[in-house]
């Protein structure tokens, strides 16, 4: 993409009403614009990051054997009356009436709708296990939408639902989700720690939230510092292997790590004192096992191996996709702007032309641009007629991990400069070497 043809409305001023760094940078970097309180338009740069996160979520869910689909945002109130949640959900639910006077709602979550699909089409235990998921916009009329995409009213969520014959099978589905979530967050460059939590309006008392530690997080958390040493890495997982998935769950959840709703001071005090931590975290996901709560209420039964109808065991599993954009920025930025990791960056590499209009510099940039593009990467070429300081400031703000700087002086010696956004270190090398290095970073080749 050439910056002169892109839509990147960066702001020079720090927006006054943005209290945390991710909110400020998302507005300043032209990633989004508030439409109403807690509702945002995703501008091209923000939309690219959102799509990248969605892709990672899809890849990891499919790898775990879960099946993608798409349900609507608007749901019928009648289904929610069947489960009893239409009244229970309270003021967070946006209720709407259509022209025929039918009650509808903008879905805050989808347990009812998916259970209705299940009961309509599945009648035998032979069709189990089944896990369906989608990535769809949700609406929760939060009392205090704030911190930009962190606590929105409209937000993008991945929500998945497992249907299993019994509790053991459903717990394996729970474990599969835990494993796939650990992989997902690590691919995004994040450490998200599973912590014992509370079921809230979804229900069930077996649930973990995934928290990214950050001072600006809305949740208070208590944990044994040893949990921060755990990494998933690139271990191979067989998602059908019950013992292996259970082993990962135990490895990652045995040590004390809880949100304030489930915090137990006496248990916490058993952690050696020098490892006890009280901190804040951003909740980027939550997994639930709630047994037959919805299947009983909505009559989602299958014929069991003994021929008798039996209510399926269910769980639901969510990832806050739009919130993650903010969480990643909270976890990775400096005073100049965002620092994306290679896995989620909106463009792979910036190209800064220090002297637009200089024949040698223009030609070198064009050739870098086409070579990176031909290698399957997406460079962002700042080809505007602007001073170098302004171009650097924009690149630093939008946080691409790599930048190639091209100027007439360097070109006289046959070199350009390759700079890492994270370390700030620059290296001079030939344009060919710069392309090779950037391509190798992204493709491993
Ligand atoms: N049905 C279950 C799991 S699919 C469910 O709704 N879980 S949840 O309530 O925990 O939401 C899942 C994730 O969505 C949360 O972990 C959080 O990351 C994200 N989320 C929840 N509310 C908001 C909000 N107001 N703004 C942005 N993200 C949110």
């Amino acid at each position: 993409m050439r910056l002169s043809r892109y839509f990147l409305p960066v702001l020079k001023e720090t927006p006054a009403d943005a209290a945390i760094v991710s909110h400020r940078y998302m507005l300043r970097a032209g990633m989004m614009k508030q439409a109403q309180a807690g509702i945002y338009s995703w501008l091209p740069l923000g939309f690219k990051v959102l799509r990248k996160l969605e892709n990672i979520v899809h890849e990891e869910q499919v790898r775990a054997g879960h099946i993608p689909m798409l349900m609507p945002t608007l749901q019928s109130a009648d289904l929610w009356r069947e489960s009893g949640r239409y009244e229970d959900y309270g003021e967070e639910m946006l209720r709407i009436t259509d022209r025929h006077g039918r009650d509808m709602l903008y879905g805050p979550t989808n347990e009812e709708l998916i259970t209705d699909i299940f009961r309509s089409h599945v009648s035998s235990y032979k069709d189990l296990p089944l896990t369906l998921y989608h990535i769809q916009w949700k609406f929760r009329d939060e009392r205090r939408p704030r911190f930009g995409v962190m606590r929105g009213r409209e937000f993008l969520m991945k929500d998945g639902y497992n249907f299993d014959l019994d509790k053991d099978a459903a717990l394996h589905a729970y474990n599969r989700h835990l494993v796939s979530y650990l992989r997902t967050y690590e691919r995004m460059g994040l450490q998200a720690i599973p912590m014992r939590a509370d079921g809230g309006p979804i229900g069930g008392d077996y649930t973990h939230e995934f928290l990214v530690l950050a001072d600006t997080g809305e949740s208070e958390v208590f944990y044994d510092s040893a949990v921060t040493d755990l990494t998933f890495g690139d271990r191979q997982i067989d998602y059908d292997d019950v013992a292996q998935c259970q082993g990962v769950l135990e490895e990652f959840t045995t040590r004390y790590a809880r949100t304030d709703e489930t915090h137990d001071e006496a248990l916490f005090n058993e952690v050696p004192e020098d490892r006890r931590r009280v901190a804040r975290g951003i909740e980027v996901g939550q997994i639930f096992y709630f047994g037959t709560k919805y299947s009983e209420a909505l009559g989602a039964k299958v014929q069991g191996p003994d021929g008798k109808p039996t209510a399926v065991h269910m769980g639901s599993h969510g990832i806050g996709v739009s919130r993650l954009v903010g969480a990643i920025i909270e976890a990775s930025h400096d005073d100049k702007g965002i620092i994306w990791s290679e896995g989620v960056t909106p463009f792979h590499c910036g190209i800064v032309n220090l002297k637009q209009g200089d024949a040698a510099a223009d030609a070198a940039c064009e050739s870098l641009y086409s070579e990176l593009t031909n290698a399957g990467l997406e460079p962002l070429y700042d080809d505007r007629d602007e001073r170098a300081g302004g171009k650097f400031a924009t690149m630093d703000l939008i946080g691409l991990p790599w930048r190639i700087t091209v100027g007439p002086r360097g070109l006289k010696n046959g070199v350009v400069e390759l700079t890492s956004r994270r370390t700030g270190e620059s290296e001079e090398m030939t344009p060919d070497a710069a392309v090779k290095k950037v391509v190798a970073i992204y493709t491993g080749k």
Side-chain angles (χ1 to χ4, degrees):
M1 180 55 67
R2 289 163 205 276
L3 200 40
S4 63
R5 297 190 197 163
Y6 199 45
F7 182 62
L8 185 73
V10 296
L11 306 178
K12 289 224 169 57
E13 305 298 318
T14 297
D17 56 344
I20 63 171
V21 73
S22 58
H23 190 189
R24 281 200 292 276
Y25 282 157
M26 286 184 73
L27 293 170
R28 283 196 47 212
M31 293 178 66
M32 64 169 188
K33 181 180 185 311
Q34 181 172 307
Q36 291 176 55
I39 304 178
Y40 293 89
S41 299
W42 290 78
L43 305 183
L45 193 75
F47 182 57
K48 260 171 117 30
V49 177
L50 194 66
R51 277 280 180 268
K52 288 228 167 162
L53 302 191
E54 275 188 72
N55 274 340
I56 293 175
V57 171
H58 273 302
E59 282 176 18
E60 294 304 329
Q61 288 310 297
V62 169
R63 194 194 302 276
H66 306 155
I67 306 169
M69 61 177 294
L70 186 61
M71 290 175 269
T73 52
L74 295 183
Q75 304 183 21
S76 140
D78 286 342
L79 261 181
W80 286 67
R81 292 197 174 100
E82 274 190 69
S83 72
R85 280 209 296 182
Y86 187 64
E87 302 307 331
D88 286 1
Y89 220 96
E91 289 185 325
E92 261 193 27
M93 181 185 278
L94 180 64
R95 295 165 168 85
I96 305 160
T97 310
D98 74 6
R99 63 163 71 187
H100 306 292
R102 286 188 206 107
D103 293 332
M104 310 205 295
L105 56 99
Y106 194 132
T109 175
N110 281 53
E111 280 80 5
E112 284 77 359
L113 198 53
I114 194 85
T115 308
D116 179 54
I117 293 169
F118 180 88
R119 70 179 174 187
S120 306
H121 298 290
V122 181
S123 54
S124 163
Y125 76 96
K126 291 180 188 150
D127 296 324
L128 305 182
L130 181 65
T131 296
L132 300 165
Y133 79 92
H134 72 163
I135 299 179
Q136 177 60 294
W137 295 92
K138 304 289 184 293
F139 195 94
R140 292 182 187 172
D141 206 353
E142 301 276 354
R143 184 192 300 275
R144 281 190 69 194
R146 57 181 185 155
F147 299 158
V149 297
M150 291 287 202
R151 178 160 298 278
R153 293 198 295 163
E154 191 182 45
F155 59 96
L156 190 61
M157 192 204 284
K158 170 264 163 183
D159 40 325
Y161 305 85
N162 68 285
F163 300 91
D164 287 277
L165 185 58
D166 55 28
K167 182 173 179 183
D168 281 351
L171 289 179
H172 175 54
Y174 188 92
N175 297 348
R176 259 193 343 256
H177 280 91
L178 181 123
V179 174
S180 67
Y181 281 24
L182 290 172
R183 282 188 62 109
T184 301
Y185 298 124
E186 278 198 21
R187 277 187 63 184
M188 296 175 182
L190 285 175
Q191 179 173 47
I193 304 167
M195 301 199 183
R196 276 304 284 263
D198 179 70
I202 309 294
D205 52 13
Y206 188 52
T207 173
H208 286 90
E209 284 181 4
F210 289 77
L211 286 118
V212 172
L213 297 174
D215 293 339
T216 48
E218 291 195 277
S219 315
E220 188 173 32
V221 296
F222 302 80
Y223 62 96
D224 176 343
S225 66
V227 295
T228 57
D229 297 334
L230 299 169
T231 50
F232 191 80
D234 55 3
R235 50 181 113 175
Q236 292 302 308
I237 288 286
D238 173 357
Y239 281 102
D240 290 331
D241 186 333
V242 171
Q244 193 185 31
C245 292
Q246 174 71 22
V248 174
L249 173 110
E250 282 165 14
E251 180 184 342
F252 280 84
T253 63
T254 305
R255 296 229 167 72
Y256 193 93
R258 294 188 178 207
T259 61
D260 53 356
E261 301 127 348
T262 56
H263 177 57
D264 179 329
E265 199 64 33
L267 269 180
F268 189 49
N269 287 335
E270 290 174 18
V271 176
E273 200 176 347
D274 62 323
R275 299 209 316 244
R276 271 178 236 155
R277 298 282 186 279
V278 182
R280 303 200 69 81
I282 303 164
E283 181 206 326
V284 292
Q286 186 163 6
I287 53 178
F288 302 80
Y289 163 71
F290 43 67
T292 57
K293 172 176 172 179
Y294 297 93
S295 54
E296 294 275 9
L298 294 162
K301 298 195 171 159
V302 294
Q303 192 181 42
D306 57 4
K308 291 191 187 133
T310 167
V312 288
H313 285 249
M314 291 175 58
S316 69
H317 315 275
I319 292 182
V321 182
S322 51
R323 174 179 287 183
L324 270 165
V325 180
I328 290 170
I329 297 172
E330 288 297 322
S332 183
H333 65 267
D334 62 14
D335 56 4
K336 293 190 209 138
I338 302 165
I339 306 175
W340 297 116
S341 66
E342 278 83 3
V344 301
T345 183
F347 292 96
H348 297 106
C349 178
I351 302 172
V352 170
N353 188 342
L354 292 178
K355 199 159 187 211
Q356 208 68 43
D358 175 273
D362 289 0
C365 286
E366 287 299 332
S367 116
L368 285 167
Y369 185 77
S370 59
E371 280 173 41
L372 289 166
T373 307
N374 291 342
L377 299 185
E378 276 190 289
L380 180 66
Y381 171 22
D382 191 344
D383 60 343
R384 297 168 306 159
D385 191 11
E386 255 220 33
R387 35 174 209 94
K391 291 189 176 185
F392 287 140
T394 300
M395 282 294 171
D396 284 342
L397 175 62
I398 67 172
L400 310 184
W402 298 96
R403 185 187 80 209
I404 303 175
T405 309
V406 181
R409 219 178 309 148
L411 285 176
K412 283 209 179 96
N413 301 321
V415 295
V416 295
E417 199 178 60
L418 179 65
T419 307
S420 154
R421 175 69 182 86
R422 192 168 291 281
T423 66
E425 280 164 23
S426 293
E427 242 188 297
E428 286 194 342
M429 56 184 83
T430 63
D432 274 357
V435 169
K436 273 211 182 76
K437 184 156 177 185
V438 172
V439 171
I441 288 165
Y442 284 102
T443 65
K445 282 183 224 144

